Amino acid sequence: MPKQTNPFPFFSFFFLVLTSHVAVVTSKSTIEPCSNSNSCNALVGYTLYTDLKVSEVATLFQVDPIALLLANAIDISYPDVENHILPARLFLKVPVICSCVDGIRKSVATRYKTRPSDTLANIADNIYSGLVSADQLRDANSIADPSVLDVGLSLAVPLPCTCFNGTDNSLPAVFLSYVVGPLDTLAGIAASYSTTITDIMNVNAMGNPSIKAGDIISVPLPACASNFPRYSADFGLIVPNGSYAITASHCVQCSCGPGNLNLYCTPASLAVSCSSMQCRNSNLMLGNVTVQSSSAGCNVTSCSYGGFVNGTIVTTLSVSLQPRCPGVHQFPPLVAPPTSAIGGSLFAPASAPAPTEAGGVGPTTPKTSVLPGVSSLPGFPPANAPAGSTSDAPLLIRPLSSFTTSTVLYILMSLILLVVL
């Protein structure tokens, strides 16, 4: 009878090699240390893992559905827009508040309610598209045994974000936390987001341009900054170029670009009741501008937004003499609610501002009387991870396995049978 070979030495060697391989494949995420209690507006890049309603995506991140749409320059005037179904693989920029927690910047407002068959890995890698890791979920919720998750458990979901004082190269900026995809290169990301490789490397303290799938990098987006008083409810409002923001209890809508990086705010037809938006001692309403040519130049009178204070919309009347009269204001172009995803990157930031031609007419601002509600999330089927900078900056690191548990077990059992037989 032929002597049978003991398979276990080979089994052990294969397992050692496999686990060693998994241990060295890590993803990184840029972390911004902080020491104060202030916060900022930031963005996280999210790729839908399945078809979801606008309100379902908003619920997933605990954000305003209207704010989500306007951050991506999606027209909100469409009927029942909060129930519009967004396609799987669509990339969205999700607006979040970036806070200082335990000495680092993160967004901590998001919570997720567990459902049957949920696992931390599935919640992290699939449902939240790699913006958080299973280890981070476990630590944030003090979960002793991650293999046992009670149904209906409310989990804190810490999301990566950065503020960097709201500036990039001394200019206003909003920072997007971007999960690197399998085919991404730093050059490609820089080109898509109208920035440079050097700028991204400087922001993320990278020693070289090497990135891997699953890394989370901070991408600076040029923006329009506000100058509201600190006691204003929307103090620190900053809007990325080519997009919109909603504020003042859905009464005011502000935009940035495309002609310049000056914040421009107008009334938004979303709320039933709003305080007066007329500038004092004038018949001008918020967003109105009048011009009058003279031998000395052009007299420009404008009614601008000054913040939301104690439920009141503050307006400011300003008069200035300019060399020439400005043209009609151009708004960032709006897109219809998407029905298909194109390469997973439908909503990249707008390009650098181009000069505005005098008299140019831009698209109208979106108007709607529909105020989206927040619905509960549907049952999610089971599947990316964060963590840090690709440099010497502080990192959050976690392993990324290339194989599922069932695949690993199948390979190992197959090898054992081959050796035995």
Side-chain angles (χ1 to χ4, degrees):
M1 181 176 179
K3 183 179 179 180
Q4 291 187 340
T5 306
N6 183 356
F8 291 101
F10 181 80
F11 170 92
S12 301
F13 173 76
F14 177 80
F15 184 75
L16 178 62
V17 171
L18 180 61
T19 53
S20 298
H21 170 73
V22 171
V24 298
V25 179
T26 60
S27 63
K28 304 172 185 177
S29 175
T30 297
I31 296 176
E32 179 190 0
C34 56
S35 59
N36 50 42
S37 59
N38 65 352
S39 59
C40 74
N41 300 117
L43 297 167
V44 295
Y46 177 64
T47 302
L48 276 68
Y49 70 95
T50 189
D51 293 353
L52 291 173
K53 294 179 181 178
V54 171
S55 59
E56 291 169 349
V57 179
T59 298
L60 195 62
F61 289 90
Q62 273 83 64
V63 299
D64 180 1
I66 288 295
L68 174 66
L69 292 169
L70 291 180
N72 294 278
I74 299 175
D75 194 343
I76 59 175
S77 66
Y78 281 73
D80 201 25
V81 70
E82 75 278 11
N83 286 318
H84 176 81
I85 298 175
L86 300 171
R89 306 308 304 163
L90 178 70
F91 178 83
L92 291 174
K93 301 185 294 262
V94 180
V96 298
I97 299 299
C98 190
S99 305
C100 182
V101 181
D102 299 328
I104 63 172
R105 291 288 182 190
K106 64 177 75 171
S107 177
V108 292
T110 298
R111 301 197 73 86
Y112 174 82
K113 185 172 288 188
T114 57
R115 291 174 295 273
S117 77
D118 267 343
T119 65
L120 293 185
N122 175 51
I123 295 169
D125 298 343
N126 196 33
I127 294 176
Y128 282 97
S129 187
L131 285 166
V132 66
S133 70
D135 287 344
Q136 288 170 334
L137 286 174
R138 182 196 62 203
D139 294 343
N141 296 278
S142 302
I143 298 175
D145 185 0
S147 64
V148 180
L149 287 181
D150 294 331
V151 176
L153 182 66
S154 180
L155 296 179
V157 183
L159 299 174
C161 62
T162 52
C163 294
F164 296 121
N165 296 319
T167 61
D168 177 50
N169 295 323
S170 300
L171 296 175
V174 172
F175 293 87
L176 168 72
S177 292
Y178 179 84
V179 182
V180 175
L183 302 179
D184 277 334
T185 63
L186 204 62
I189 294 171
S192 297
Y193 289 86
S194 302
T195 185
T196 65
I197 296 176
T198 300
D199 200 11
I200 294 180
M201 289 180 64
N202 288 340
V203 166
N204 294 274
M206 298 168 63
N208 61 73
S210 174
I211 54 176
K212 301 187 299 294
D215 286 351
I216 301 180
I217 60 175
S218 184
V219 181
L221 310 181
C224 298
S226 61
N227 191 29
F228 307 151
R230 185 170 293 275
Y231 50 82
S232 173
D234 44 9
F235 171 75
L237 177 68
I238 185 168
V239 182
N241 185 35
S243 66
Y244 297 80
I246 196 79
T247 186
S249 295
H250 286 136
C251 290
V252 176
Q253 180 174 296
C254 299
S255 63
C256 180
N260 55 56
L261 292 180
N262 297 323
L263 192 67
Y264 186 77
C265 301
T266 58
S269 301
L270 289 175
V272 176
S273 178
C274 297
S275 65
S276 173
M277 287 184 257
Q278 183 173 347
C279 270
R280 238 180 238 183
N281 303 321
S282 126
N283 59 357
L284 296 184
M285 298 294 292
L286 178 62
N288 288 165
V289 177
T290 62
V291 297
Q292 184 176 8
S293 297
S294 68
S295 57
C298 183
N299 293 306
V300 180
T301 305
S302 61
C303 182
S304 304
Y305 179 58
F308 193 52
V309 180
N310 297 325
T312 300
I313 295 171
V314 177
T315 55
T316 303
L317 187 69
S318 62
V319 180
S320 62
L321 179 64
Q322 300 182 11
R324 60 179 182 175
C325 292
V328 177
H329 181 80
Q330 291 187 338
F331 293 95
L334 292 168
V335 298
T339 56
S340 63
I342 304 173
S345 60
L346 187 57
F347 297 116
S351 57
T356 305
E357 295 183 8
V361 179
T364 58
T365 54
K367 296 180 180 179
T368 177
S369 58
V370 179
L371 184 59
V374 178
S375 65
S376 59
L377 288 170
F380 285 95
N384 255 330
S389 160
T390 55
S391 72
D392 296 331
L395 303 177
L396 285 175
I397 300 178
R398 76 181 181 92
L400 282 178
S401 173
S402 301
F403 308 96
T404 63
T405 302
S406 58
T407 303
V408 173
L409 291 175
Y410 175 79
I411 294 172
L412 294 177
M413 292 304 297
S414 299
L415 289 171
I416 292 172
L417 289 175
L418 284 174
V419 174
V420 171
L421 299 177

